[in-house]
Amino acid sequence: MPDQPVSMAVVAEPARPLLAAPSALIRALGPLGTPEEQEQPMSNGQFDADVIVVGAGPGGYVAAIRAAQLGAQVVCVEKEYLGGTCLNWGCIPSKAMIAPVERLQHVRHADAMGIQIPGEPQFDFAKMMARKDKIVQTLRGGIGSLFKKNKIRHVEGFARFVDPHTIEVEKDGQKTRLRGKSFILAMGSSVIRLNIPGLEGGRDEGVWTSDDAVTAPFVPESMLVLGGGAVGCEFSYVFNGLGSKVTLVEMMPNLLPLMDTDLGTELGRVLGKQGIKVKTGATLERVEKTAKGWKCFVKKGADTEEVEVQVVLLGVGRKANTDGMDLEKTGVRLHRRGVEVVDDTLRTHAPHIYAIGDVTGRIQLAHVASAEGILAATNAVTGSDRKMEYKCVPNCVYTVPEVASVGLTQAEAEAQGYDVAVGKFQFRALGKAMATGDIDGFVKVVAEKKYGEVLGVHMIGAHVTDMIHEGVVALKLEATLESMAETIHAHPTLSEAMLEAFEDALGHAIHK
Ligand code: FAD
């Protein structure tokens, strides 16, 4: 077998391009069967690797590194770029677009802090996007460097199964066969175009997906963003901040429908104040092509509004990457949303094959993919039967203001029969928030009354995607309202809103 070189550029400083993130997101699994003990012995009993990982997104590359750290010989096959969706089209490029827009807003509103900047601040979109590309390339190189350091063989190309222990990797017409003792499937997901009557064409016709938005060649004059989840809200913030007239359409009554309803309501209010036309409880019924773009028919109740835009941005719709892999040759089973895992050990119905991340169609977040990668690698290499724990998964949205959440929403806690105590504290009451001008938003704490156990923490405001980890740890350690309220928080900080919310749930917030 010819040795495949590690092909990516190597940079001095490897970095971890993932971060933040929900609990309500775990989607119901289909009926689960038991794994079939159908391990098929190799013809000559030899393997090219102990573990072959398919896909080098935040699930796959992290799994590969952990398996190597545990002493396994590891191959990681990737058909496109190291870092997967997260690094190349998702988490990182979107945040690298949000950051300059936030800075631009600071400059626009600097007068409120006594800073005089003559004239209207200008921006250079091409330069913003070039900076974003540089960040992505640097981080990609960082993963290549980590692979080299951990002696992971990176094989470029598309992997498909020949039999349960053999894959064929194809690149530019060249085919390489690799045999693995165990496999970790981490193929992720890809955008799909929703079927909206009249909406035909792609990027050049002004029909964009998130992949097009992070590689946008220009700032459209106007856009309709379909979907008020994290992706739709983040891009609405970016393009509105850069001057597009944005209409954001969400079918559910609130933005961020999977989060506590108070968060989506507040985000809708603040984005509206920024100039975005937020239409919740509304659907995009159909569109018509116009000379400049699209006439969109947005239906809300009995009314239909016509909105003319240059670009329609589809902020919803992804599909697990399983096509063309001949998974039926392995014993792995598929369900409607992707690869089926038997249980939270992440084994599939073929006991030597694990599946992690977006391809399972469960929680679609980078940090969940990474955590699953670490667990699957550990189980695959050591033979252990560890299980994933999804109780404390943070879920973050990087709009300005940011939104972050962990654990049960108030509605979920009530539906589960808890006698619920709720504490809430607005940032505007804090000295630090007034000093920095970050007065929008609040912290909301959900707990059960009997023992005071914290069940969920939900927040919207500046820096909450960093602050949420106090809530994550509180849930992980089964902390009570009392223990959290007795924890001294530095003054002046935005984190004081957490302390006050815990106190409020106990009925005695000092500053409320
Ligand atoms: P992926 O990252 O999709 O990686 C899978 C890899 O497998 C790809 O590189 C693909 O090329 C490769 N592959 C597929 N099939 C094959 C094959 N047969 N052979 C070889 N290689 C193959 N999540 C967050 O947690 N925080 C965020 O802020 C966030 N922002 C996002 C913003 C956007 C616009 C989008 C679209 C997503 C965002 N996400 C975010 C979600 C996050 O990107 C995904 O949950 C994450 O990338 C999933 O990781 P993964 O490793 O499972 O799959």
Side-chain angles (χ1 to χ4, degrees), residues 55 58-59 78-79 84-86 95 158-159 186-188 358 364-367:
E78 171 55 58
K79 71 177 168 59
T85 304
C86 172
K95 277 66 202 178
F158 182 90
M187 292 88 72
D358 278 18
Q364 299 198 325
L365 289 171
H367 43 287

Side-chain angles (χ1 to χ4, degrees), residues 237-256:
Y237 171 77
V238 167
F239 287 103
N240 176 66
L242 296 176
S244 293
K245 290 192 188 76
V246 176
T247 304
L248 173 59
V249 177
E250 165 58 45
M251 193 170 68
M252 301 302 280
N254 286 297
L255 296 181
L256 309 178

Side-chain angles (χ1 to χ4, degrees), residues 199-358:
L199 194 65
E200 275 162 23
R203 178 186 175 101
D204 293 343
E205 288 73 37
V207 185
W208 289 7
T209 63
S210 61
D211 288 0
D212 301 307
V214 295
T215 53
F218 60 90
V219 178
E221 272 172 35
S222 54
M223 68 196 320
L224 182 135
V225 179
L226 190 60
V231 170
C233 289
E234 289 180 7
F235 286 122
S236 294
Y237 171 77
V238 167
F239 287 103
N240 176 66
L242 296 176
S244 293
K245 290 192 188 76
V246 176
T247 304
L248 173 59
V249 177
E250 165 58 45
M251 193 170 68
M252 301 302 280
N254 286 297
L255 296 181
L256 309 178
L258 296 174
M259 293 175 124
D260 192 283
T261 51
D262 289 0
L263 298 178
T265 307
E266 175 70 358
L267 184 65
R269 189 189 68 78
V270 180
L271 292 184
K273 232 171 49 177
Q274 292 172 9
I276 297 169
K277 284 194 188 139
V278 179
K279 299 198 177 300
T280 52
T283 52
L284 178 58
E285 259 205 323
R286 64 186 179 90
V287 297
E288 281 173 9
K289 190 92 188 94
T290 63
K292 277 189 158 183
W294 299 96
K295 185 190 277 184
C296 303
F297 296 82
V298 179
K299 189 166 187 289
K300 182 167 175 156
D303 299 332
T304 300
E305 190 185 337
E306 292 176 18
V307 185
E308 293 216 27
V309 292
Q310 190 181 0
V311 164
V312 174
L313 169 52
L314 302 172
V316 278
R318 294 192 72 79
K319 178 185 174 302
N321 293 328
T322 53
D323 290 353
M325 287 190 64
D326 296 340
L327 285 166
E328 64 283 356
K329 293 181 178 168
T330 62
V332 166
R333 287 191 201 158
L334 300 182
H335 56 75
R336 199 167 47 86
R337 294 182 303 276
V339 174
E340 186 168 275
V341 290
V342 170
D343 58 24
D344 290 339
T345 62
L346 305 178
R347 277 202 175 81
T348 66
H349 287 84
H352 68 294
I353 302 181
Y354 295 77
I356 60 171
D358 278 18

